[in-house]
Amino acid sequence: MSAETSGIFCRDAALTLADGVVLHSRLWHPSRGGPWPALLMRQPYGSRIASTVTYAHPTWWASHGFLVVIQDVRGQGASEGNFGGFGQEAADTTATHAWVRQLPECNGRLGTYGFSYQGLTQLTAAESTPAPECTAPAMTGLDERRHWSCEGGAHWWQLGLGWGLQLAALQAQRRGDVTAWLEIRRSLEDTTYLREGPALLERHDPDGMAWRWLQSDPNQPQQWTVHRPPVTWLQQPMLLIGGWWDPHLVGLLDLWCRSKAAGGQPSLHIGPASHLQWWPESQQLMLQFFQQHLQDQPPQEPRPTNQLWNITHHQWDCIPAPDATIPASWGLRSQGLACIDPREGALVAAGEGEGSVNIVHDPWRPVPAIGGHLGTPPGPVDRMAVDQRGDVATFTSAPLVAELLLSGQPVLQLNAQADQPGFDLCVSVSRLPAGANTIEQLSTGVLRIRGDEALTTAMRNVTLQPLQAALAPGDRLRVSVAAAAWPAIGVNPGHDAVPCGASSPEHRVVTLTLTLSDSTLQLNPFGSGRLRLD
């Protein structure tokens, strides 16, 4: 099938792999001229969509002098074969690159683009595969555990089930199972998937990645796959696009570190974005990158190689040099009322922690997750109502006397134990702006403890989402600690007899004791080598 619209020609094309499986693609390019450098995206959601939820339509890219190739991966869209998830992509990527380079419309130069799944397909290939001239993986990562499905020893509940069921529905559609498709769709529409999701995955996609991930232990790295790009690919020009409220941000930062360690010079841009909502200028940023590395056009408006969006100043910052960032730490203090009186729990700059506080977690009314990188909807949010709950301990600093830049990854350390063999620590860092009655959530993180270890007082480390935010004089900084973040994270039942998930009659009330004498909140700066990415 082919067509021409507004000076852009579109046609279908097929690649037959060595095992006989046929992968289908759609191609767009200018109606005249050529051949052109190719932009390739390999994705599982249907080539006609072409990731237009976040990217300009292929006709826009083609209008700038590119051959755009959008391919359905094996077992998805119009392509043949069985869909096996990430593990299938390395061999298919290698074959696809060779095929694209020899297309009559291609001048032999190849760049890749795409986010999420489409980001990972840019990074997996046989080690000997010639590297593309440039890559632009966005909002993705290599570790199926830390970058795709878990953090702090807990599975991403709402996000993992939702995405897994989307893939399961696509498989049901391919096999013509209307009943399964409707059952999955209705569960997502009425949110019953939050309780029934595991059973739906087991019934409708038992061989899928999402179900396999749910059966794997987040605390056993050997059960998980970490994909490894060819070293030569990491050395090529690479544009990395991430968002502060994207769940794959640590995966993108891991790519940045891996590329630099391999001798590459990756360009990192972390903006005011969630997974599906980007900043408008991101398209021009990518276009300039591809024009420079595929069309030899010098940048018309040079941008910094690396830049971070300042969440509170609403402007772009350069990444501070690690030695330019003043080490900062805070101690947590309370005499037992941090869950009741918001004025009692204190966050003391360069001070020692003191006292203790008890948090009673009632699984009938778990603390909700709001905003951030795992909440629905994701993004910035006012925590006022959540922080007023009696099962959330808050620790707030005195008004700042000078501007404070929070740049890096927050880590909270404190002693904690429970009266049941299982608990979660769900932590947020927020800004209380001077003169305003709001609590601006900046970063969140979680740590899960299960088994008898939970009954013993021990130092717990909770790693939060990286951030870049400046606090002004008069602002206050706050740490909030809860024992749930539902439904972003499944509710910890307080024992091992039932899995974490939706609350059930088998879930127990858990009393959590925080001992604050050695507690600290500290920042691991970008580029310091101390970011916790795996």
Side-chain angles (χ1 to χ4, degrees):
M1 177 181 176
S2 61
E4 182 177 350
T5 304
S6 302
I8 302 300
F9 187 80
C10 176
R11 72 175 179 91
D12 294 333
L15 161 65
T16 301
L17 300 170
D19 62 359
V21 169
V22 178
L23 303 184
H24 288 271
S25 301
R26 301 201 84 202
L27 278 58
W28 290 260
H29 59 77
S31 299
R32 295 177 177 82
W36 303 272
L39 290 180
L40 169 66
M41 178 191 294
R42 303 188 61 247
Q43 52 78 56
Y45 305 112
S47 58
R48 291 182 176 274
I49 297 175
S51 282
T52 48
V53 66
T54 54
Y55 289 91
H57 191 273
T59 56
W60 182 81
W61 297 98
S63 72
H64 287 89
F66 295 99
L67 164 66
V68 183
V69 181
I70 310 295
Q71 184 186 74
D72 292 328
V73 301
R74 176 187 294 255
Q76 294 285 29
S79 289
E80 298 177 356
N82 297 317
F83 179 62
F86 295 152
Q88 71 184 31
E89 301 304 349
D92 292 355
T93 294
T94 295
T96 299
H97 282 205
W99 173 72
V100 170
R101 288 187 190 275
Q102 60 80 43
L103 287 169
E105 298 93 340
C106 180
N107 66 6
R109 306 184 80 176
L110 172 63
T112 61
Y113 77 119
F115 83 123
S116 198
Y117 195 107
Q118 302 85 279
L120 186 64
T121 58
Q122 298 177 59
L123 301 165
T124 58
E127 185 67 35
S128 61
T129 306
E133 275 64 35
C134 58
T135 60
M139 300 186 179
T140 193
L142 300 170
D143 187 335
E144 293 187 14
R145 176 181 65 121
R146 181 62 181 96
H147 304 156
W148 282 95
S149 60
C150 307
E151 63 182 86
H155 289 96
W156 295 343
W157 190 253
Q158 183 174 32
L159 183 63
L161 289 176
W163 185 54
L165 288 169
Q166 179 187 1
L167 293 175
L170 289 172
Q171 289 298 299
Q173 186 176 21
R174 280 177 64 88
R175 62 179 182 264
D177 190 342
V178 175
T179 299
W181 191 96
L182 288 173
E183 183 180 16
I184 292 169
R185 181 65 191 184
R186 286 169 181 152
S187 76
L188 293 167
E189 291 174 346
D190 62 19
T191 72
T192 54
Y193 77 98
L194 295 173
R195 182 173 298 278
E196 306 298 335
L200 290 171
L201 285 174
E202 185 177 20
R203 183 160 64 248
H204 297 305
D205 196 13
D207 298 322
M209 280 193 306
W211 179 239
R212 184 175 72 248
W213 288 347
L214 277 177
Q215 302 310 297
S216 301
D217 187 342
N219 293 307
Q220 300 296 326
Q222 68 273 14
Q223 297 181 12
W224 298 81
T225 300
V226 179
H227 300 273
R228 303 194 182 280
V231 173
T232 56
W233 290 35
L234 295 172
Q235 296 167 343
Q236 289 292 92
M238 181 180 289
L239 174 64
L240 299 170
I241 292 179
W244 293 127
W245 305 293
D246 175 58
H248 309 289
L249 177 58
V250 294
L252 196 82
L253 289 168
D254 175 67
L255 269 175
W256 179 58
C257 294
R258 286 173 184 259
S259 177
K260 291 192 299 178
Q265 296 180 322
S267 178
L268 176 69
H269 300 260
I270 304 177
S274 63
H275 197 58
L276 299 180
Q277 188 69 49
W278 296 13
W279 65 100
E281 296 80 11
S282 58
Q283 305 300 310
Q284 292 293 336
L285 176 67
M286 289 184 287
L287 176 61
Q288 180 175 289
F289 173 78
F290 289 128
Q291 287 176 330
Q292 178 180 355
H293 296 290
L294 294 176
Q295 297 176 336
D296 299 323
Q297 296 184 30
Q300 295 181 354
E301 298 180 8
R303 291 181 172 88
T305 300
N306 303 305
Q307 56 182 0
L308 308 174
W309 181 259
N310 192 308
I311 298 171
T312 53
H313 278 181
H314 306 289
Q315 66 182 30
W316 290 103
D317 293 344
C318 294
I319 298 178
D323 56 1
T325 304
I326 300 175
S329 67
W330 296 264
L332 282 63
R333 296 180 182 176
S334 174
Q335 299 306 312
L337 293 179
C339 290
I340 302 299
D341 185 350
R343 300 166 298 179
E344 197 266 352
L347 192 63
V348 183
E352 295 184 355
E354 181 182 290
S356 65
V357 64
N358 291 322
I359 298 174
V360 177
H361 161 63
D362 179 359
W364 182 263
R365 51 186 302 273
V367 174
I370 59 171
H373 65 294
L374 295 179
T376 301
V381 70
D382 184 355
R383 282 190 60 88
M384 178 69 74
V386 175
D387 277 2
Q388 289 177 341
R389 291 174 56 116
D391 51 0
V392 178
T394 61
F395 306 87
T396 310
S397 74
L400 299 176
V401 297
E403 182 173 285
L404 172 66
L405 177 63
L406 302 176
S407 181
Q409 187 176 50
V411 177
L412 177 65
Q413 299 177 312
L414 77 170
N415 282 293
Q417 73 173 105
D419 66 344
Q420 303 294 332
F423 67 87
D424 289 350
L425 288 172
C426 302
V427 178
S428 70
V429 170
S430 305
R431 168 198 181 213
L432 281 64
N437 190 32
T438 59
I439 301 170
E440 298 176 2
Q441 180 175 277
L442 300 174
S443 176
T444 58
V446 63
L447 176 68
R448 170 158 291 161
I449 305 295
R450 303 199 77 187
D452 290 342
E453 177 190 357
L455 301 172
T456 303
T457 298
M459 183 63 71
R460 319 292 182 176
N461 297 325
V462 187
T463 302
L464 284 74
Q465 182 87 332
L467 79 165
Q468 177 85 359
L471 276 62
D475 290 351
R476 291 175 291 162
L477 182 66
R478 170 175 288 185
V479 169
S480 305
V481 182
W486 173 257
I489 301 297
V491 180
N492 193 320
H495 59 98
D496 287 335
V498 297
C500 301
S503 294
S504 72
E506 289 76 30
H507 277 59
R508 299 174 182 172
V509 173
V510 177
T511 299
L512 182 61
T513 300
L514 309 181
T515 303
L516 306 175
S517 55
D518 295 318
S519 62
T520 60
L521 173 70
Q522 59 188 24
L523 277 172
N524 291 333
F526 294 104
S528 66
R530 298 200 302 272
L531 294 180
R532 301 183 180 186
L533 306 173
D534 54 17

